[in-house]
Amino acid sequence: MMLRRILLASLAAGVATGFTAPSSTVATRGSSRIAAFDERASVESFDPLNLSEDSPRNDSPNGKAAAIAMASLLASPSIASAAGPDWGLFEGRTGSLLHPVAMASMAAFSLSTALLGFQWRRQRTLGDEISSLKKGLPDLKGAKSVKEALAAAEAAEEVDASYVSSLKGALALDGEIAALTKERKDLASAGPRDKHFGQGSLLLFVGTAFAIEGPLNTYARAGKLFPGPHLYAGAGLVVLWALAASMVPAMQKGNDAARTVHIGANVAGIGLFVWQVTSGIPILFKVLEFTKWP
């Protein structure tokens, strides 16, 4: 817009200087006209605004009018106050509140995703824990549980007192195994693995998108960014999300080191999320103060 105004002013100045009053002096005929042409044979460059240092100063009324027109165009409020394009709704309060609302929702969503991750880890490790506990049980002699083996031992013609005693001592351990088995079945029916993967993917996409949208909105409103804890925490959070997601292929192959890095990155990310939310509250108040609906 500013370049177009400058070009229009230049054109107006050229037209103004082109309509100068004709000279009253009449050139003589013959050799005098040729002599005058020879003396001024050099062609001057086109400089209607007299910007060149070598050009003679144009003090005519038309030249002054062109200069005044140019200055008025450059000093117009629409140009002097322009800080950038008009972003409309994105620059107002509605667009400015998208970032804090989305990121606060993602903070709660990340806690839910972490809970699902720990449930899946619990389901996966329960099998090893149950197998380890079963090694401490006495020989059940084909029975499915300690209670069933105890009932069969007490109903035998010859009761083995030591065997019955060992079975009674294993009743508590058998109850613990039964509880863990039930917990494992309940977790499997809830499907935390697939839910964790789905929520984690959504968190990575939406969180990254609005982590970028926030600085863009700030730049649209203020024309610059404000480096500080909030910006640094958000950038670090996106990096940790990317690190956690990059560990998934190795985790699917049973790599425990990748699982440790994945869990550590997400736990650290939740810590940065808390820092980002607390450091963003004063920024939210400023947004509400200096923006208007919509």
Side-chain angles (χ1 to χ4, degrees):
M1 178 64 73
M2 183 174 182
L3 178 59
R4 186 171 64 182
R5 289 177 176 270
I6 293 175
L7 290 176
L8 291 175
S10 300
L11 181 60
V15 173
T17 55
F19 286 97
T20 56
S23 175
S24 61
T25 304
V26 180
T28 61
R29 298 180 181 180
S31 60
S32 60
R33 181 179 298 177
I34 298 174
F37 178 79
D38 292 336
E39 291 175 357
R40 299 183 181 182
S42 60
V43 180
E44 296 181 355
S45 60
F46 179 73
D47 189 12
L49 298 181
N50 296 318
L51 300 178
S52 173
E53 294 181 356
D54 297 333
S55 300
R57 183 179 181 89
N58 188 359
D59 292 331
S60 64
N62 289 330
K64 292 181 179 180
I68 293 173
M70 183 68 176
S72 62
L73 283 173
L74 294 177
S76 62
S78 61
I79 295 177
S81 63
D86 184 9
W87 295 97
L89 189 66
F90 181 75
E91 192 174 352
R93 182 172 294 178
T94 302
S96 300
L97 291 179
L98 287 177
H99 176 78
V101 171
M103 296 308 284
S105 301
M106 289 299 101
F109 196 63
S110 64
L111 293 175
S112 174
T113 305
L115 179 60
L116 288 172
F118 281 112
Q119 287 178 349
W120 160 236
R121 180 179 176 84
R122 177 64 175 167
Q123 176 188 343
R124 185 174 51 83
T125 58
L126 273 176
D128 296 336
E129 187 175 351
I130 292 172
S131 298
S132 178
L133 291 175
K134 284 183 177 180
K135 293 179 181 180
L137 292 175
D139 185 12
L140 301 181
K141 297 180 180 181
K144 295 181 179 179
S145 64
V146 174
K147 290 183 179 180
E148 185 178 339
L150 179 60
E154 291 177 339
E157 295 180 358
E158 295 182 2
V159 178
D160 187 349
S162 61
Y163 179 62
V164 171
S165 177
S166 63
L167 289 174
K168 289 182 178 180
L171 285 174
L173 183 60
D174 186 61
E176 184 179 355
I177 293 173
L180 293 177
T181 303
K182 182 179 182 301
E183 180 183 359
R184 186 184 182 188
K185 289 181 179 179
D186 292 341
L187 288 173
S189 62
R193 178 182 180 274
D194 294 336
K195 291 180 180 179
H196 176 70
F197 187 85
Q199 286 193 196
S201 301
L202 184 62
L203 175 65
L204 179 62
F205 169 69
V206 178
T208 302
F210 279 96
I212 297 174
E213 182 272 342
L216 288 179
N217 178 266
T218 300
Y219 190 83
R221 288 185 292 103
K224 62 179 179 178
L225 297 179
F226 302 93
H230 187 71
L231 185 62
Y232 300 148
L237 181 58
V238 173
V239 171
L240 290 175
W241 281 340
L243 175 62
S246 68
M247 295 294 107
V248 173
M251 292 167 57
Q252 292 175 339
K253 296 179 181 179
N255 191 320
D256 288 334
R259 290 192 178 98
T260 302
V261 174
H262 178 83
I263 295 173
N266 281 301
V267 171
I270 292 176
L272 281 181
F273 229 143
V274 174
W275 185 22
Q276 188 187 36
V277 170
T278 55
S279 61
I281 292 176
I283 300 175
L284 176 60
F285 289 151
K286 289 183 179 180
V287 168
L288 294 175
E289 180 181 358
F290 294 107
T291 60
K292 297 181 179 179
W293 296 108

